[in-house]
Amino acid sequence: MSSPHRILVAMGTRPEVIKLAPLVGALRARPDRFQTVVCATAQHRQMLDQALEVFDLEPDVDLDLMAPGQDIFDVTARVLLAMRPVLAEHQPDVVIVQGDTTTAFTVALAAFYARRKVAHVEAGLRSFDKFQPFPEEINRVLASSLTDFHFPPTQGSRANLLKAGYPEKDVLVTGNTVIDALYQSLPRARALGGIAGLTLDPSRRLVLVTGHRRENFGPGVASMCEALADLVRRREDLEIVYPVHLNPNVRGPVHERLGALARMHLIEPLSYLPFLWLMDRAYLLLTDSGGVQEEGPALGKPVLVMREVTERPEAVEVGAAALVGTDRERIVESVERLLDDPAHYRSMATAGSPYGDGKACQRIVEFLEKRLAQPS
Ligand code: UD1
Ligand code: UDP
């Protein structure tokens, strides 16, 4: 039998770990076929480590690149240079990147420069607006152009790739690996039964909030905070939990504007299992995060998306999610409608989950095995 294919899996941020850890597990379950190296750029440090720990994943290479307050120029330049010796040393047959972060795009670029094949997990998502999300929309367009094997999660993302001219034989719809992670982790999350240091009132409905998009920095974050403040002031029947992202552009304004309010729990970013527990416990999710838009429908939780456009239209199309932007009144109205209109709540909560069946990683592994066996 031929020697195993050398695969390098690159991850930089919290969501990349969550979405790639099940794939690393599936590849490593086949040591006869794949020799898998995990490379962390550590574009995120603490949030990456928090996620790695949940999956018991230790990077083989850790570039430790995060600097406090970094911008996208810093991350792009540092990842590109740091990847040169890593690719030279490991000579992977395929480099796997995930999603639309600067790590994903830049590692794909480095792999191309080193003439390595690139596989892109969560390929083909498009908002068709260059600046929303920023810089992720262009990161994923660029990643696609560097990619040999595209793994779109849905038929819609596949169609985006085919329309852009990528050959059908190189594109496989897999479902989103986030659903693999969710199904694998939910029993452990549910067994937690609560979160240390967070006391929730069972008589109040829980709104779980996350937010970190760059295009919302400044006025968007301010307006979102005003909406959250209005909600806890007006509604005795709800409480809000907001695990605040470590980006200083989010942290500063959020703590300043919301720190002193009753029934507003501003907490540190949660490890994935407690976060899953909290999503499962929540009445609704208010977010600009990509991953939460995928997880919410799978858990039967309505998702209000604090963005004007989304590259994840499927949840909106089935009725599990709604776009509410960052306008203060629109957010308040949308949350109150879900609190006060049981039929509306039910229709969103039962709309279904369009992002996969938990077998995305298996499909990716089978595809790679087949394609890498063919002469290139
Ligand atoms: C990044 C990704 C975004 C992804 C998000 C997931 C880019 C351009 N952005 O955004 O696509 O949705 O991660 O959360 O790739 N920080 C820490 N510790 C951490 C993580 C962040 O202190 O563990 C702080 C640091 O000051 C860091 C800053 O946050 O410099 C920004 O981190 P960065 O990865 O550049 O951007 P994010 O906003 O986290
Ligand atoms: N998440 C987490 N802890 C938190 C908030 C989110 O583990 O405190 C998880 C969430 O379940 C999802 C992922 O992190 O899988 C989303 O990450 P993020 O919102 O940072 O990035 P995005 O998905 O927008 O790229």
Side-chain angles (χ1 to χ4, degrees):
M1 193 192 270
S2 57
S3 57
H5 306 295
R6 292 185 305 276
I7 311 285
L8 185 140
V9 184
M11 48 189 82
T13 65
R14 168 172 70 191
E16 289 163 87
V17 175
I18 293 168
K19 291 173 169 179
L20 286 173
L23 181 57
V24 171
L27 289 165
R28 286 194 168 153
R30 299 292 313 276
D32 54 323
R33 303 311 306 139
F34 302 105
Q35 183 192 318
T36 308
V37 168
V38 172
C39 173
T41 64
Q43 171 180 339
H44 281 178
R45 184 70 278 170
Q46 297 86 345
M47 287 158 63
L48 180 101
D49 292 343
Q50 209 179 27
L52 287 168
E53 197 186 337
V54 174
F55 295 97
D56 209 8
L57 198 57
E58 212 170 299
D60 303 288
V61 180
D62 192 331
L63 302 175
D64 197 21
L65 291 179
M66 197 195 85
Q70 67 204 4
D71 68 16
I72 48 186
F73 293 86
D74 297 323
V75 181
T76 304
R78 286 203 301 263
V79 170
L80 190 62
L81 284 176
M83 284 308 293
R84 179 168 47 193
V86 175
L87 294 166
E89 182 187 341
H90 291 278
Q91 299 279 320
D93 299 310
V94 178
V95 173
I96 298 183
V97 299
Q98 193 282 334
D100 52 21
T101 64
T102 295
T103 287
F105 151 56
T106 314
V107 170
L109 180 61
F112 167 69
Y113 284 168
R115 292 176 176 268
R116 305 286 112 196
K117 282 200 162 57
V118 176
H120 187 202
V121 175
E122 197 183 86
L125 277 64
R126 299 287 185 269
S127 71
F128 300 104
D129 179 328
K130 188 174 176 181
F131 292 102
Q132 297 196 65
F134 175 81
E136 290 84 359
E137 176 70 4
I138 295 305
N139 280 350
R140 51 197 171 218
V141 170
L142 295 171
S144 291
S145 66
L146 299 161
T147 289
D148 298 278
F149 306 134
H150 309 257
F151 299 121
T154 64
Q155 292 297 340
S157 40
R158 172 180 182 270
N160 291 337
L161 291 165
L162 297 189
K163 226 180 287 167
Y166 296 106
E168 211 170 334
K169 68 173 181 29
D170 297 335
V171 178
L172 177 75
V173 176
T174 60
N176 199 305
T177 58
V178 80
I179 305 298
D180 299 33
L182 178 77
Y183 288 171
Q184 287 170 23
S185 308
L186 206 50
R188 282 204 291 158
R190 286 189 169 140
L192 293 177
I195 293 174
L198 178 68
T199 308
L200 297 171
D201 181 342
S203 70
R204 294 196 165 98
R205 285 176 288 183
L206 170 65
V207 176
L208 177 58
V209 178
T210 74
H212 67 83
R213 297 254 81 87
R214 273 175 166 66
E215 66 274 17
N216 287 344
F217 290 174
V221 173
S223 158
M224 183 197 82
C225 288
E226 297 309 329
L228 298 179
D230 287 349
L231 282 165
V232 283
R233 285 198 197 103
R234 279 161 67 149
R235 303 286 306 217
E236 282 277 332
D237 58 336
L238 68 74
E239 61 187 330
I240 292 179
V241 177
Y242 184 169
V244 185
H245 194 283
L246 292 181
N247 193 315
N249 296 294
V250 177
R251 250 181 130 61
V254 166
H255 279 277
E256 194 180 305
R257 287 165 189 271
L258 301 176
L261 294 174
R263 287 177 283 108
M264 173 76 69
H265 307 273
L266 299 185
I267 60 175
E268 293 300 306
L270 286 167
S271 184
Y272 178 57
L273 296 181
F275 188 75
L276 275 187
W277 182 87
L278 209 53
M279 275 197 290
D280 202 33
R281 163 74 170 70
Y283 187 72
L284 68 94
L285 311 173
L286 188 55
T287 188
D288 66 18
S289 154
V292 176
Q293 290 177 63
E294 295 149 350
E295 294 160 334
L299 291 166
K301 304 294 171 176
V303 185
L304 298 178
V305 184
M306 294 186 286
R307 293 162 64 171
E308 297 302 336
V309 291
T310 181
E311 62 290 337
R312 293 167 168 88
E314 296 85 356
V316 177
E317 282 158 14
V318 301
L323 289 173
V324 300
T326 52
D327 179 71
R328 175 177 182 174
E329 262 120 58
R330 196 160 150 221
I331 293 173
V332 172
E333 267 169 32
S334 308
V335 171
E336 291 205 302
R337 186 167 172 220
L338 280 168
L339 293 171
D340 295 334
D341 180 347
H344 175 55
Y345 183 88
R346 229 180 355 264
S347 85
M348 285 191 80
T350 58
S353 164
Y355 295 113
D357 59 2
K359 294 183 184 149
C361 296
Q362 187 187 315
R363 293 187 185 100
I364 292 169
V365 168
E366 282 165 11
F367 179 96
L368 287 177
E369 188 172 1
K370 203 159 88 201
R371 284 302 292 272
L372 294 175
Q374 293 168 6
S376 50

